[in-house]
Amino acid sequence: GGSRMDLRMNGLVALVTGASAGLGRAIARVLAEEGCRLAILARRRHLLEELARDLPASAEPLVVVEDFRGAGAAERTRDAVLARFG
């Protein structure tokens, strides 16, 4: 990890879409370093699970495998995040 910015996000829950690669993956890492608890969403489970293993335990990563454009994806994601993080 790089130097921590302290964005006062410790304990907040963040949902990162497109988290399996690229910018989404980088955003997830930064938010985890800032103390956020994370729901990471993308279509490719194996990449999300790899990311989840690499995140600090404090991120409590919730892997959500969805195509966010699909029917009902937003509702399923909301329900999964609320079930895990309240």
Side-chain angles (χ1 to χ4, degrees), residues 3 6 23-25 27 32 39 50 55 58 69 86:
S3 61
D6 194 9
L23 191 56
R25 193 175 185 95
I27 289 168
E50 176 187 287
L55 294 173
S58 60
R69 299 165 297 181

Side-chain angles (χ1 to χ4, degrees), residues 1 3 5 7 15 23 34 42-43 45 47 50 53 78:
S3 61
M5 293 178 276
L7 300 175
L15 168 63
L23 191 56
E34 289 299 316
R43 292 171 291 175
R45 177 182 298 278
L47 293 176
E50 176 187 287
R53 283 192 299 274
R78 176 201 61 213

Side-chain angles (χ1 to χ4, degrees), residues 1-64:
S3 61
R4 196 156 181 265
M5 293 178 276
D6 194 9
L7 300 175
R8 297 188 180 124
M9 301 178 80
N10 197 53
L12 295 179
V13 175
L15 168 63
V16 181
T17 61
S20 64
L23 191 56
R25 193 175 185 95
I27 289 168
R29 288 185 187 283
V30 169
L31 290 174
E33 287 175 11
E34 289 299 316
C36 287
R37 297 181 296 158
L38 293 181
I40 50 176
L41 180 146
R43 292 171 291 175
R44 295 176 287 184
R45 177 182 298 278
H46 69 286
L47 293 176
L48 289 176
E49 289 175 345
E50 176 187 287
L51 173 60
R53 283 192 299 274
D54 290 344
L55 294 173
S58 60
E60 303 174 41
L62 169 64
V63 169
V64 181

